[in-house]
Amino acid sequence: MQNIIEFIQKTFKSNKFIPLHEPRFIGNEKEYLNKCIDSTFVSSVGEYVDKFEEEFAKKVGSKYAIATVNGTSALHISLLLANVTENDEVITQALTFIATCNAISYIKSKPIFVDVDKDTMGMSPDSLKNFLEKNCEIKDSKCINKSTKKIIKACVPMHTFGHSCRIDEIKSICDEWKISLVEDAAESLGSFYKKQHTGTFGDLGAFSFNGNKIITSGGGGVIVTDDEKLARRAKYLTTTAKVPHPFEYIHDEIGFNYRMPNLNAALLVAQLENLDFFIKRKKELANKYKEFFKDNNDVNFVEEPKNSNSNYWLQAVLLKDSSNRDGFLEFMNKNGVMTRPIWKLMNELEMFKDSQSSTLENSKYLEQHIVNIPSSVIL
């Protein structure tokens, strides 16, 4: 393992602590922030919020983008827009970050877990199809879970570490079973599947700009959609459901204070200008790792899946012997190279242990074998 540490230290030109993923501010961030401060519009009203939404929609190829305070809020609102209620169920993958299930839980709906594919680490279309055929039926144009009698309203696949799942197949299955498709694209800005940007296959898509994402404003999220009605309602719900009026405070339903502040948007406008550069550098880093690990009998480097053009947000390796995982993690972190395991499966957490799930063979395998290694953009 010492040779891995030496390679990473040489690659990142540092003998000090090497973080997993740190942000890069190399463009107009300070200039735009100063302009935002000088304007005094630092909260949820300001030119940078509007500009970011416009530029982001262009970048991913959606008709509309609605900025929010973080990716979890973007996913929460997306599920509400998909008409998910507390009596409904939502299919997602067990191998995901907790935010996916938190957003489902905020509505008091129930998650159902299906397996992932080993090569994408994202939702398996086969597992989804098998679960639906075995457990569900269509009644009155609704997908009914035969065991719980509840409606399955939505499906939330995630594009893990920026690698796209087979989202076109998932969309076809959801269409057939009358299920809304909401993409958790939190990690996949700049990633494409069959030349279409992730997050734009479904009815709605949610992205994140947390401090460790490929572009960041410290926090922040965005909802994308091609449906004008959904876009208008998204902006309405995220701004406390306030009825437009010159001076009266009229709110006609429960809304959310989820609108992105102008300060964050100023950062993101600048960050978005360098997205292509960041992705280019991340691919160069991926190629360095690929070359380094190609003859390693103990470690496989995780490459972008077939038909995908990945942003390589977090670089990952698969340890062939899972018994070496904790030792690998301890050794690397002790020697100043930050590494981390993939997430604990959602169905193993106390809050979701009673949730219905399919067989999760691939998810369990990846949980035991996948490790993330330093992934920052090299300048």
Side-chain angles (χ1 to χ4, degrees):
M1 284 188 282
Q2 186 62 43
N3 63 335
I4 298 177
I5 287 178
E6 291 172 357
F7 170 76
I8 292 175
Q9 288 174 334
K10 180 180 179 182
T11 300
F12 285 90
K13 299 180 175 63
S14 175
N15 291 320
K16 299 178 181 179
F17 177 76
I18 299 172
L20 189 68
H21 193 288
E22 61 182 350
R24 302 298 190 202
F25 302 109
I26 61 172
N28 294 311
E29 287 88 354
K30 291 182 180 179
E31 177 186 347
Y32 295 167
L33 279 173
N34 284 333
K35 286 181 178 179
C36 179
I37 292 168
D38 290 342
S39 76
T40 72
F41 286 94
V42 296
S43 190
S44 57
V45 176
E47 64 172 306
Y48 285 109
V49 179
D50 296 333
K51 185 174 183 180
F52 173 69
E53 290 175 334
E54 180 182 345
E55 293 301 319
F56 191 88
K58 288 179 183 177
K59 180 64 74 173
V60 303
S62 65
K63 290 184 179 179
Y64 307 99
I66 303 90
T68 64
V69 293
N70 52 51
T72 308
S73 63
L75 194 55
H76 178 203
I77 294 297
S78 295
L79 289 167
L80 288 175
L81 293 171
N83 200 31
V84 177
T85 71
E86 64 179 290
N87 294 315
D88 299 323
E89 295 175 331
V90 177
I91 297 178
T92 190
Q93 56 202 62
L95 188 71
T96 186
F97 181 56
I98 188 64
T100 310
C101 291
N102 280 344
I104 295 169
S105 301
Y106 293 164
I107 309 173
K108 298 183 180 179
S109 54
K110 191 85 170 179
I112 296 171
F113 300 115
V114 297
D115 207 359
V116 297
D117 288 321
K118 281 186 179 180
D119 60 336
T120 70
M121 298 177 288
M123 183 179 289
S124 165
D126 292 336
S127 181
L128 173 63
K129 183 178 180 181
N130 291 339
F131 177 87
L132 290 169
E133 290 178 347
K134 180 180 178 181
N135 298 284
C136 303
E137 60 183 348
I138 300 293
K139 281 186 178 181
D140 299 323
S141 295
K142 297 181 177 66
C143 180
I144 307 297
N145 187 331
K146 290 188 287 188
S147 63
T148 65
K149 310 303 180 185
K150 292 187 176 183
I151 302 172
I152 298 177
K153 280 277 183 70
C155 175
V156 185
M158 189 187 72
H159 304 292
T160 305
F161 303 148
H163 300 300
S164 173
C165 57
R166 294 180 175 84
I167 191 64
D168 58 342
E169 297 177 43
I170 293 171
K171 176 176 170 50
S172 294
I173 295 167
C174 288
D175 289 345
E176 178 185 352
W177 284 88
K178 314 300 181 185
I179 298 171
S180 295
L181 176 59
V182 177
E183 288 178 76
D184 186 342
E187 303 173 355
S188 64
L189 175 59
S191 297
F192 292 80
Y193 183 73
K194 295 183 177 179
K195 299 183 179 180
Q196 182 175 338
H197 201 291
T198 55
T200 65
F201 287 82
D203 303 295
L204 300 129
F207 292 82
S208 170
F209 311 112
N210 187 40
N212 65 351
K213 294 299 188 293
I214 192 165
I215 69 170
T216 184
S217 55
V222 74
I223 301 164
V224 298
T225 183
D226 286 341
D227 188 313
E228 182 181 3
K229 185 178 179 181
L230 291 178
R232 289 181 180 276
R233 183 153 175 76
K235 185 166 289 190
Y236 169 72
L237 286 176
T238 56
T239 50
T240 67
K242 185 179 183 297
V243 178
H245 192 278
F247 52 84
E248 291 283 3
Y249 289 95
I250 302 172
H251 307 262
D252 57 1
E253 65 176 296
I254 300 297
F256 302 88
N257 190 13
Y258 280 174
R259 188 73 169 149
M260 177 183 287
N262 202 35
L263 276 171
N264 297 81
L267 269 175
L268 284 171
V269 170
Q271 287 269 286
L272 198 59
E273 292 172 350
N274 281 312
L275 176 62
D276 293 342
F277 170 77
F278 291 162
I279 292 174
K280 178 184 176 183
R281 290 292 183 154
K282 279 184 163 288
K283 288 181 179 290
E284 290 175 1
L285 176 60
N287 287 332
K288 288 178 182 289
Y289 278 136
K290 179 181 176 181
E291 178 65 21
F292 177 79
F293 286 111
K294 70 177 183 179
D295 297 321
N296 194 304
N297 295 322
D298 301 314
V299 180
N300 283 341
F301 178 68
V302 177
E303 300 181 51
E304 61 188 5
K306 183 180 179 182
N307 296 317
S308 297
N309 189 342
S310 299
N311 67 5
Y312 281 101
W313 168 57
L314 282 189
Q315 315 280 356
V317 293
L318 187 146
L319 306 180
K320 295 178 183 178
D321 184 353
S322 62
S323 66
N324 292 333
R325 192 197 73 164
D326 290 352
F328 179 92
L329 290 166
E330 289 174 7
F331 183 83
M332 298 293 280
N333 284 283
K334 183 178 179 181
N335 285 276
V337 176
M338 186 176 179
T339 57
R340 75 174 192 195
I342 206 167
W343 314 283
K344 189 174 182 64
L345 299 186
M346 293 297 102
N347 65 302
E348 296 175 356
L349 299 179
E350 183 67 25
M351 307 84 75
F352 307 116
K353 65 180 182 180
D354 296 327
S355 296
Q356 190 175 5
S357 65
S358 67
T359 57
L360 301 171
E361 294 178 6
N362 292 341
S363 300
K364 293 174 182 176
Y365 176 84
L366 293 170
E367 180 189 28
Q368 296 166 357
H369 291 261
I370 289 289
V371 170
N372 291 121
I373 55 180
S375 308
S376 303
V377 170
I378 299 176
L379 300 178

